[in-house]
């Protein structure tokens, strides 16, 4: 008689599952056969737009980075093998008006979660969402895993703390904890306040006759922009390695906000110069002028490479926003 065995699925917990990256990572892990748990925090309205299409395939558990006991409980409940810490106050501009809150969430939140892991199950593999904002006023071009940090915002400072506490729990408690230093990554699911989505949405609204101008801040800032769908795969690949190490994830190309505007408006046959106005309100107290990453280590050790190129990314975002306004 043939015996039919039940193979238990690997369990993963994602904090920040309602965010851009959380939704792409959940989709990716489901495609890899994982059982996916997502941590959500209490809010007065439901904000599941990004995960609505997979909600019946994942389990949502309540918790908050500000509350360590809530995370101990949800780790006991979900018993994951892998934890991806994507939750954060992630908008740089807001970090100047709410520096303490940003620190509590984006910095100390990491310690709370690492501590909860140490208490519940120190064998859990942990991924921390580190950021190219840690490089800030860059001390080396391109930026690698060895480039010193010089953060320029309370957000960047908080991420440096999160990065080093992850390294520290690896070195002092033996937790399999890694940091992915990810450069900017965008998608049609990007929040509307970030510059790329603000532009793609603005272009669509102007094309549809809903707006006549688009107000932006520093057009000279340069970023290494990739596609979020590519970047979540790198997170998973890092956690599959038996040695816990940190990796830079980037495209290796940099473009200015001005260039983003130029390409985005050209998708709908418009000249950006006629619509974009510079508004001081969107300038930052301290700017990160230029970022470009070298993901050579990830390419060699993980076999990871960015797939979506800059013009395709911009076009994908503009077309999606047009569709949203005129389905
Ligand atoms: P996002 O869209 O802003 O999502 C942030 C997520 O964090 C949301 O699900 C949010 O929940 C959750 N969250 C915020 N505060 C929380 C708290 N106190 N407790 C529990 N959950 C909380 O960010 P993202 O672009 O997906 O980025 C994911 C992570 O990567 C973040 O840590 C970000 O800082 C980092 N990162 C992003 C980039 C990038 O270019 N996207 C680059 C490098 C690093 P609500 O929906 O309830 O607000
Ligand atoms: O700004 C300039 C702005 O807010 C990009 C987060 O995911 O990536 C993101 O942080 C640049 C800056 O992203 C506007 O001054 C001009 O130089 O889209 P952003 P960010 O600050 O790079 C990193 C890697 C993260 O980790 C963060 O979580 O664009 N800019 N005009 C503007 N920016 C915004 N938001 N709005 C403007 O009107």
């Amino acid at each position: 008689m043939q015996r039919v065995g039940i193979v238990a699925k690997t369990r993963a917990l994602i904090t920040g599952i309602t965010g851009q990256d959380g939704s792409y990572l959940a989709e990716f892990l489901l495609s890899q056969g994982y059982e996916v748990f997502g941590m959500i925090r209490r809010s007065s309205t439901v904000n599941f737009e990004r995960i609505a299409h997979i909600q019946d395939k994942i389990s949502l558990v309540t918790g908050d980075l500000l509350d360590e006991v809530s995370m101990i409980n949800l780790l006991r409940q979900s018993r994951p093998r892998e934890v991806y810490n994507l939750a954060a106050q992630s908008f740089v501009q807001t970090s100047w008006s709410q520096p303490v809150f940003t620190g509590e969430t984006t910095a100390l939140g990491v310690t709370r979660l690492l501590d909860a892991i140490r208490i519940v199950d120190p064998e859990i593999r942990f991924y921390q969402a580190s950021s190219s904002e840690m490089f800030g006023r860059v001390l080396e071009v391109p930026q690698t895993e060895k480039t010193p940090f010089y953060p320029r915002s309370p957000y960047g400072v908080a991420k440096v703390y999160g990065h080093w506490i992850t390294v520290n729990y690896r070195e002092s408690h033996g937790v399999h904890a890694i940091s992915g230093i990810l450069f900017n990554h965008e998608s049609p699911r990007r929040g509307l306040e970030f510059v790329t989505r603000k532009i793609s949405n603005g272009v669509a609204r102007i094309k549809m006759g809903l707006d006549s101008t688009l107000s932006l801040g520093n057009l000279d800032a340069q970023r290494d922009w990739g596609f979020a769908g590519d970047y979540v795969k790198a997170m998973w690949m890092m956690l599959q390695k038996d040695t816990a190490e940190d990796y830079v994830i980037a495209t290796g190309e940099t473009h200015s906000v001005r260039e983003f505007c130029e390409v985005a408006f050209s998708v709908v046959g418009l000249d950006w110069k006629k619509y974009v106005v510079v508004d001081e309100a969107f300038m930052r107290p301290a700017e990160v002028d230029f970022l470009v990453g070298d993901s050579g280590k990830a390419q060699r050790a993980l076999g990871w490479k960015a797939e979506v190129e800059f013009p395709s990314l911009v076009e994908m975002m503009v077309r999606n926003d047009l569709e949203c306004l005129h389905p």
Side-chain angles (χ1 to χ4, degrees):
M1 195 177 72
Q2 198 185 352
R3 293 172 73 108
V4 181
I6 299 170
V7 181
K9 289 182 171 185
T10 307
R11 292 172 163 213
L13 171 75
I14 303 172
T15 73
I17 196 162
T18 53
Q20 171 188 258
D21 290 6
S23 65
Y24 281 108
L25 180 62
E27 273 172 15
F28 177 73
L29 293 178
L30 287 172
S31 77
Q32 298 298 307
Y34 277 69
E35 184 174 358
V36 176
F37 291 80
M39 181 174 97
I40 50 160
R41 54 179 176 165
R42 194 263 160 189
S43 66
S44 64
T45 50
V46 173
N47 63 344
F48 295 165
E49 303 88 44
R50 294 181 176 111
I51 49 169
H53 61 296
I54 48 169
Q55 220 178 308
D56 58 342
K57 300 190 184 78
I58 58 180
S59 306
L60 298 177
V61 280
T62 312
D64 198 300
L65 283 184
L66 301 178
D67 184 341
E68 186 166 335
V69 171
S70 73
M71 291 188 285
I72 290 173
N73 287 334
L74 69 82
L75 286 174
R76 285 188 175 138
Q77 218 179 318
S78 53
R79 287 276 164 200
R81 175 179 180 269
E82 296 171 8
V83 170
Y84 296 84
N85 182 34
L86 309 186
Q89 190 303 93
S90 76
F91 190 41
V92 172
Q93 186 88 51
T94 293
S95 74
W96 276 286
S97 54
Q98 298 181 30
V100 174
F101 174 72
T102 300
E104 283 289 352
T105 310
T106 306
L108 282 176
V110 187
T111 314
R112 292 189 191 98
L113 181 50
L114 280 164
D115 238 7
I117 286 172
R118 200 168 58 83
I119 291 165
V120 176
D121 179 5
E123 295 304 310
I124 287 172
R125 292 189 173 199
F126 176 79
Y127 173 86
Q128 166 59 14
S130 284
S131 165
S132 52
E133 281 294 297
M134 301 189 303
F135 297 123
R137 179 180 277 177
V138 297
L139 296 172
E140 189 180 29
V141 176
Q143 295 84 57
T144 72
E145 294 79 6
K146 295 199 169 82
T147 304
F149 300 140
Y150 189 151
R152 293 274 282 166
S153 63
Y155 169 81
V157 173
K159 281 290 178 185
V160 171
Y161 176 92
H163 181 83
W164 281 113
I165 201 70
T166 301
V167 173
N168 185 263
Y169 269 61
R170 176 164 82 214
E171 293 178 354
S172 47
H173 299 297
V175 177
H176 189 106
I178 62 150
S179 269
I181 308 174
L182 271 52
F183 281 62
N184 297 54
H185 44 280
E186 319 295 314
S187 74
R189 297 184 201 163
R190 187 57 141 153
L192 282 165
E193 68 276 34
F194 297 93
V195 78
T196 54
R197 184 79 196 286
K198 186 173 168 184
I199 297 169
S200 65
N201 183 55
V203 166
R205 291 183 63 81
I206 289 170
K207 182 68 181 174
M208 303 297 289
L210 299 170
D211 283 336
S212 52
T213 56
L214 172 62
S215 298
L216 295 173
N218 179 13
L219 302 182
D220 295 321
Q222 286 176 263
R223 290 289 184 279
D224 181 329
W225 278 300
F227 172 53
D230 288 345
Y231 285 41
V232 299
K233 287 184 200 156
M235 298 174 185
W236 175 77
M237 287 171 152
M238 287 178 216
L239 269 202
Q240 306 319 304
K241 294 289 276 188
D242 284 332
T243 323
E245 286 181 38
D246 307 322
Y247 298 89
V248 159
I249 298 297
T251 69
E253 267 185 40
T254 190
H255 298 274
S256 64
V257 173
R258 183 179 287 100
E259 272 176 272
F260 197 104
C261 290
E262 211 172 315
V263 178
F265 277 89
S266 74
V267 170
V268 295
L270 296 176
D271 177 1
W272 72 278
K273 291 194 223 71
K274 295 187 180 149
Y275 305 97
V276 172
V277 289
V278 172
D279 182 339
E280 289 293 319
F282 298 110
M283 298 287 185
R284 295 179 177 182
E287 178 62 289
V288 171
D289 296 313
F290 174 89
L291 290 173
V292 65
D294 174 355
S295 60
K297 180 180 172 185
Q299 285 177 34
R300 288 185 299 276
L302 310 175
W304 180 89
K305 198 171 167 303
E307 303 287 336
V308 177
E309 296 189 345
F310 179 71
S312 312
L313 173 66
V314 181
E315 184 168 351
M316 178 202 304
M317 293 178 70
V318 172
R319 295 220 178 279
N320 170 75
D321 279 318
L322 281 168
E323 182 109 341
C324 289
L325 290 178
H326 190 58

